[in-house]
Amino acid sequence: DGGITQSPKYLFRKEGQNVTLSCEQNLNHDAMYWYRQDPGQGLRLIYYSQIVNDFQKGDIAEGYSVSREKKESFPLTVTSAQKNPTAFYLCASRGMNTEAFFGQGTRLTVV
Amino acid sequence: GESVGLHLPTLSVQEGDNSIINCAYSNSASDYFIWYKQESGKGPQFIIDIRSNMDKRQGQRVTVLLNKTVKHLSLQIAATQPGDSAVYFCAETHYTGNQFYFGTGTSLTVIP
């Protein structure tokens, strides 16, 4: 079945570590997105990519990095520069003239 | 960025009643609007969408109303069921655009 897959579902990070969240889609969508969601709040855009090898910063890109080497994959790295990384991270993709399709999320916790 | 706001952060309804969730958007250039449902610990799921050339669209038990004059969007859920309990988000974008803007969400609780 077509869809968008995030892994892992739960991730724990020690202080000072970089961690990478995976996002893969087989929907043949050009656009992919990363959002951060804090408890009781809406979605805030971290980065998005409209095409392979191109990406743009969203509203809260500081402390995060991404790559888009393949159409299907848009990994997000949470770097040690992100001082408050504990959150629920959502990846989404969008095809031409469609809604955004979301993955099931990764819950990142700093320990 | 753009702002998409919701009038009520929480809503409680009796099972079987109709629910109405409201949303205000700010960008007059937005022409595509989507409602998502998010259950606890899961990613948002698409419910229904509407383009700006329409003012009403119906799905199964759900209806979206769009009032472009006052930049207001609403989601109506008929005969609300316990499984409808979730957070509902509206989102705005341009149909051919690249960024979505989401509201804070409304938490719907259905009372059996």
Side-chain angles (χ1 to χ4, degrees):
Chain A
D1 287 350
I4 181 165
T5 302
Q6 290 185 241
S7 62
K9 188 173 176 62
Y10 299 97
L11 186 58
F12 298 91
R13 192 194 92 166
K14 294 182 179 179
E15 296 282 352
Q17 267 187 342
N18 292 353
V19 290
T20 298
L21 284 60
S22 170
C23 179
E24 304 277 334
Q25 54 99 359
N26 60 2
L27 299 166
N28 199 33
H29 288 168
D30 285 315
M32 296 188 74
Y33 309 81
W34 274 106
Y35 293 92
R36 171 181 171 138
Q37 187 176 33
D38 292 286
Q41 297 191 28
L43 281 63
R44 292 186 290 168
L45 182 64
I46 305 173
Y47 269 99
Y48 67 102
S49 169
Q50 300 174 44
I51 198 168
V52 173
N53 292 323
D54 185 61
F55 47 83
Q56 285 80 41
K57 293 182 179 180
D59 300 320
I60 56 165
E62 185 175 353
Y64 299 97
S65 66
V66 293
S67 62
R68 187 84 186 277
E69 297 177 1
K70 299 186 299 181
K71 187 175 186 177
E72 300 80 16
S73 179
F74 191 40
L76 173 74
T77 297
V78 184
T79 74
S80 57
Q82 172 49 242
K83 298 307 179 187
N84 184 24
T86 295
F88 190 51
Y89 291 87
L90 286 160
C91 179
S93 69
R94 185 187 188 192
M96 185 66 69
N97 299 337
T98 71
E99 73 273 20
F101 291 79
F102 284 87
Q104 289 302 297
T106 293
R107 187 167 300 280
L108 174 63
T109 304
V110 174
V111 296
Chain B
E2 303 296 331
S3 65
V4 179
L6 292 171
H7 293 309
L8 295 173
T10 61
L11 178 65
S12 295
V13 298
Q14 289 290 139
E15 181 178 357
D17 287 351
N18 296 336
S19 302
I20 300 175
I21 300 171
N22 297 304
C23 176
Y25 65 95
S26 58
N27 187 355
S28 299
S30 294
D31 65 1
Y32 184 46
F33 306 88
I34 308 161
W35 281 101
Y36 286 93
K37 173 186 180 183
Q38 186 179 25
E39 297 176 330
S40 181
K42 297 184 178 180
Q45 295 175 286
F46 169 87
I47 301 173
I48 192 167
D49 59 1
I50 189 167
R51 294 190 66 183
S52 59
N53 60 353
M54 303 173 69
D55 53 20
K56 180 179 180 178
R57 191 162 187 225
Q58 289 183 293
Q60 187 176 15
R61 285 200 307 118
V62 294
T63 300
V64 55
L65 298 177
L66 175 63
N67 185 330
K68 295 181 288 293
T69 302
V70 294
K71 290 187 282 193
H72 183 268
L73 192 68
S74 69
L75 176 70
Q76 300 178 1
I77 305 173
T80 313
Q81 302 169 0
D84 294 328
S85 293
V87 175
Y88 290 81
F89 294 95
C90 65
E92 62 169 315
T93 187
H94 193 274
Y95 195 58
T96 59
N98 296 301
Q99 288 200 46
F100 289 85
Y101 299 96
F102 292 87
T104 305
T106 292
S107 177
L108 174 66
T109 301
V110 180
I111 304 166

